[in-house]
């Protein structure tokens, strides 16, 4: 956990062998355009990848463990430090940062001026690509000011190239914020950037653009190890561990398929992503109130979480209450704790039609304005009923599936390796069913892609990312990859868009290998 972000002079270790040539051309094009725009070479390029979550959907912000891997798609930020003459030579100590994109027609150029003791202004109500750089900038500057109160950020020149699909569920925003914070730290003299501090500041920074981020996306983007999955846990603190994939026949192969239903969680957050964060938080609060437990603040986005509820219920001080002194034996193994929490959920969160704001406020013994101020102001939501029972049911059951998936990877019996892929796939299918029916974050297009893939030979298929569109991830036998791709093209992509181009079809389906995390 104390390792630093690596610095490399070669990109060959960052990408799959089949992609090296095209990536070299891409990097060379970025540097060439930087020269054209700024009249000099960049000092360095900060890189942070997107991710695909294998299992553990929508449970990171409840502080439960997840199992993502990085992908080859990434965000690159070429950086140079400006001289006073390049800033205009007016003697100002303000930092001036022109922000250019490799695709200026889609992402308009912009510039921000930051006072020496201030921060970049972010209007979270306006969906601008530059907000993600500003969020990373502010997080990095805040860290540097904690180390040195007199710190003043330098002026920079940046050029951004990102190929993680926006709104595709592959964490383009987290990759952008991580790369931005890394770029700012490096430009301002931090030669050694600790991975953990980068992740922690990026988690908080992304919330500045209006999303209750949980932390999985940033952890995968920074800590990922090429060739491995990544176990990421958040309680009692952030902890990551590389989990190698077993070498079996047929090999473990993951395919990623885009639905081309754009679901940008920063735009739809009030009725989708942020609403689920609020529902999970309120599920913990309401269950705690009914159990007679007082929750403590934790690292969840709203300072309370279902993981915090579990901890309190099974702790000596929090679990034993006068209402039921037999509850919450602290010696209960973790897996059994989760099973018990899951079995308790229908009893304590029993309103199938959901809870109104007034009902929740009454249960928590607070006023309606206090409820809305505490849970629905920082990140506004749009809902009249809150489905607390269904959300908690998904979180506890998904946390159990992560445990099972991880155990299969780490403790598999190689004398019977033919069972591994079907068992992993079954867990992924269960996740999709829960996301569709219980957490209600799927959509018909996602469901269709998953159904087609299973019929064509995939062992497991599920949405990945925030949901409500975006991408799907599939565990596929290597000898069925071409068949699955062909079925998607025939039954989904060409029916949806008869004139779809070959280039778009290339973007639609990717055979993914676990990629390398952030580098300079």
């Amino acid at each position: 956990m104390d390792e630093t972000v690596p610095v490399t002079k070669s990109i060959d270790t960052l990408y799959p062998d089949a992609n090296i040539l095209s990536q070299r051309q891409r990097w060379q094009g970025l540097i060439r355009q930087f020269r054209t725009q700024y009249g000099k070479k960049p000092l360095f390029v900060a890189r942070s990848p997107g991710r695909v979550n294998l299992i553990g959907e929508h449970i990171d912000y409840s502080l439960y463990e997840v199992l993502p891997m990085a992908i080859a798609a990434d965000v690159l930020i070429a950086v140079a430090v400006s001289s006073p003459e390049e800033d205009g030579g007016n003697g100002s100590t303000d930092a001036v940062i022109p922000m250019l994109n490799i695709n200026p027609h889609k992402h308009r150029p912009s510039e921000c001026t930051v006072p020496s003791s201030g921060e970049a202004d972010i209007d979270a109500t306006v969906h601008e690509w530059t907000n993600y750089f500003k969020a990373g900038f502010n997080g990095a500057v805040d860290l540097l000011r904690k180390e040195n109160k007199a710190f003043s950020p330098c002026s920079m020149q940046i050029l951004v190239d990102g190929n993680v699909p926006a709104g595709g569920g592959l964490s383009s925003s987290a990759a952008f914020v991580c790369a931005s914070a890394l770029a700012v730290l490096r430009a301002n003299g931090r030669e050694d950037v600790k991975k953990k501090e980068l992740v922690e500041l990026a988690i908080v920074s992304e919330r500045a653009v209006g999303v209750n981020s949980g932390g999985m996306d940033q952890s995968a983007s920074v800590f990922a190890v090429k060739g491995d999955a990544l176990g990421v846990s958040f309680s009692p603190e952030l902890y990551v561990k590389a989990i190698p994939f077993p070498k079996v026949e047929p090999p473990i192969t993951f395919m990623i398929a885009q639905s081309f239903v754009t679901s940008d969680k920063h735009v739809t957050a009030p009725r989708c992503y942020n609403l689920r964060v609020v529902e999970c938080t309120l599920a913990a609060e309401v269950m705690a109130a009914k159990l007679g437990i007082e929750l403590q603040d934790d690292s969840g986005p709203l300072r309370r979480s279902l993981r915090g509820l579990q901890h309190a219920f099974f702790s000596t001080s929090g679990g034993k209450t006068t209402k039921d002194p037999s509850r919450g034996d602290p010696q209960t193994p973790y897996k059994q704790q989760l099973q018990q929490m899951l079995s308790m959920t229908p009893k304590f969160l029993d309103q199938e039609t959901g809870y109104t704001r007034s009902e929740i406020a009454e249960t928590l013994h607070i006023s309606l304005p206090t409820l809305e101020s505490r849970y629905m102001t920082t990140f506004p939501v749009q809902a009249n009923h809150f489905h607390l029972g269904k959300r908690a049911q998904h979180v506890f059951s998904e946390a159990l599936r992560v445990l099972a998936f991880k155990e299969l990877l780490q403790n598999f019996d190689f004398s019977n390796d033919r069972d591994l892929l079907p068992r992993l796939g079954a867990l992924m299918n269960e996740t999709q069913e829960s996301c569709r029916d219980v957490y209600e974050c799927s959509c018909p297009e996602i469901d269709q892609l998953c159904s087609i893939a299973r019929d064509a030979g995939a062992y497991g298929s599920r949405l990945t990312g925030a949901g409500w569109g975006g991408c799907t991830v599939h565990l596929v036998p290597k000898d069925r990859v071409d068949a699955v791709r062909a079925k998607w093209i025939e039954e989904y992509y060409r029916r949806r868009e008869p004139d779809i181009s070959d280039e778009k079809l290339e973007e639609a389906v990717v055979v993914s290998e676990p990629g390398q995390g952030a580098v300079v």
Side-chain angles (χ1 to χ4, degrees):
M1 290 295 292
D2 289 333
E3 67 256 42
T4 59
V5 174
V7 178
T8 182
K9 293 185 179 297
S10 172
I11 70 168
D12 291 1
T13 59
L14 305 181
Y15 301 102
D17 292 343
N19 296 9
I20 294 295
L21 180 59
S22 62
Q23 288 296 337
R24 281 181 185 156
Q25 293 170 344
R26 176 179 169 230
W27 282 65
Q28 289 165 358
L30 175 68
I31 293 169
R32 189 164 52 247
Q33 188 162 334
F34 192 97
R35 278 181 177 273
T36 300
Q37 295 290 343
Y38 295 113
K40 60 183 177 182
K41 285 179 60 176
L43 288 178
F44 62 88
V45 176
R47 177 217 181 239
S48 205
R51 66 95 191 98
V52 60
N53 191 22
L54 302 178
I55 198 160
E57 211 58 75
H58 279 282
I59 64 173
D60 58 330
Y61 48 79
S62 290
L63 304 187
Y64 284 103
E65 185 175 9
V66 294
L67 208 68
M69 69 181 194
I71 58 176
D74 54 17
V75 172
L76 309 177
I77 303 181
V79 180
V81 176
S82 306
S83 66
E85 291 74 19
E86 290 170 315
D87 288 343
N90 58 10
S92 172
T93 58
D94 295 349
V96 179
I97 307 168
M99 297 172 287
L100 307 182
N101 195 286
I102 201 85
N103 186 352
H105 302 293
K106 185 176 181 180
H107 303 293
R108 292 181 301 171
S110 185
E111 180 176 288
C112 70
T113 300
V114 183
S116 59
S117 59
E119 62 178 21
D121 290 330
I122 297 174
D123 183 356
T125 64
V126 179
H127 191 230
E128 292 282 351
W129 73 274
T130 53
N131 281 352
Y132 302 107
F133 177 81
K134 292 177 183 178
F137 177 93
N138 288 344
V141 168
D142 182 61
L143 175 66
L144 293 169
R145 285 196 179 123
K146 288 176 181 176
E147 298 172 350
N148 175 11
K149 291 182 179 179
F151 171 77
S152 177
C154 68
S155 294
M156 302 166 56
Q157 297 161 322
I158 70 164
L159 178 62
V160 178
D161 180 10
N163 62 4
V164 187
L170 301 177
S171 297
S172 59
S173 58
F176 198 170
V177 173
C178 288
S180 300
L182 178 59
V184 174
L185 289 169
R186 182 82 178 183
N188 283 277
R190 281 290 293 271
E191 295 292 323
D192 297 322
V193 178
K194 292 280 186 10
K195 290 183 178 182
K196 185 176 181 181
E197 69 180 2
L198 177 59
V199 166
E200 290 174 341
L201 76 84
I203 291 170
V204 176
S205 297
E206 192 174 343
R207 293 172 186 167
V209 292
V211 172
N212 271 318
S213 174
M216 169 185 64
D217 302 344
Q218 297 84 358
S219 299
S221 189
V222 173
F223 277 103
V225 177
K226 188 179 180 182
D228 295 344
L230 197 70
V232 185
S233 55
F234 306 94
S235 181
E237 63 179 1
L238 177 67
Y239 179 77
V240 300
K241 181 180 179 181
I243 301 176
F245 287 107
K247 306 298 182 186
V248 295
E249 288 297 334
I252 295 177
T253 305
F254 292 100
M255 299 181 73
I256 301 170
Q258 287 199 54
S259 68
F260 289 123
V261 176
T262 301
S263 178
D264 195 307
K265 64 185 181 184
H266 301 79
V267 175
T268 62
R271 62 183 183 276
C272 296
Y273 187 89
N274 282 354
L275 176 58
R276 293 299 183 272
V277 176
V278 170
E279 286 178 316
C280 288
T281 304
L282 292 175
E285 293 278 36
V286 169
M287 280 189 74
K290 291 184 176 183
L291 287 163
I293 295 172
E294 183 176 350
L295 295 182
Q296 302 298 312
D297 284 354
D298 57 31
S299 58
L302 294 174
R303 313 309 299 172
R304 303 291 171 85
S305 68
L306 288 166
R307 181 70 179 86
L309 170 67
Q310 178 185 334
H311 175 74
F313 181 77
F314 287 98
S315 70
T316 304
S317 58
K320 304 287 186 180
T321 72
T322 55
K323 290 187 177 181
D324 186 354
S326 66
R327 275 198 328 272
D329 182 355
Q331 303 303 313
T332 305
Y334 180 71
K335 181 178 179 179
Q336 292 178 24
Q337 289 185 18
L338 277 170
Q339 291 168 335
Q340 189 170 341
M341 298 302 296
L342 180 60
S343 67
M344 288 164 47
T345 298
K347 176 181 178 182
F348 291 96
L349 300 173
D350 57 351
Q351 292 188 201
E352 293 186 4
T353 57
Y355 295 79
T356 66
R357 299 179 188 220
S358 296
E359 288 170 334
I360 295 169
E362 182 179 353
T363 301
L364 300 183
H365 304 293
I366 59 178
S367 68
L368 184 57
T370 299
L371 174 79
E372 293 175 338
S373 173
R374 188 177 299 174
Y375 302 104
M376 306 174 194
T377 301
T378 305
F379 302 99
V381 298
Q382 299 169 3
N384 295 318
H385 288 79
F386 297 79
H387 297 278
L388 309 187
K390 295 177 78 171
R391 309 313 179 223
Q393 178 188 337
H394 168 80
V395 170
F396 293 134
S397 63
E398 183 72 348
L400 283 164
R401 285 187 285 273
V402 172
L403 285 182
F405 200 98
K406 183 178 172 182
E407 184 177 346
L408 281 171
L409 292 180
Q410 292 182 315
N411 303 310
F412 185 69
D413 178 6
F414 286 93
S415 65
N416 193 17
D417 64 3
R418 290 187 179 182
D419 286 346
L420 178 62
L421 300 190
R423 291 171 68 182
L424 293 173
L427 291 168
M428 294 174 66
N429 292 335
E430 289 175 17
T431 292
Q432 175 58 21
E433 291 171 7
S434 185
C435 285
R436 181 190 64 211
D437 301 331
V438 182
Y439 215 70
E440 297 174 297
C441 61
S442 189
C443 67
E445 294 84 355
I446 292 289
D447 299 337
Q448 185 182 1
L449 282 169
C450 291
S451 178
I452 292 170
R454 291 172 193 157
D455 289 345
Y459 286 118
S461 298
R462 53 176 292 272
L463 66 82
T464 186
W468 299 284
C471 285
T472 54
V473 60
H474 309 263
L475 178 60
V476 181
K478 197 163 189 176
D479 59 1
R480 298 298 298 168
V481 166
D482 290 340
V484 171
R485 180 189 280 111
K487 278 292 185 183
W488 278 330
I489 292 173
E490 175 190 353
E491 297 182 14
Y492 182 81
Y493 294 113
R494 292 207 183 279
R495 289 184 184 179
R496 177 182 171 84
E497 189 178 341
D499 297 327
I500 190 170
S501 66
D502 291 341
E503 182 181 6
K504 191 170 182 180
L505 283 174
E506 280 290 317
E507 298 173 0
V509 180
V510 177
V511 179
S512 183
E513 300 178 16
Q516 176 63 42
V519 301
V520 174

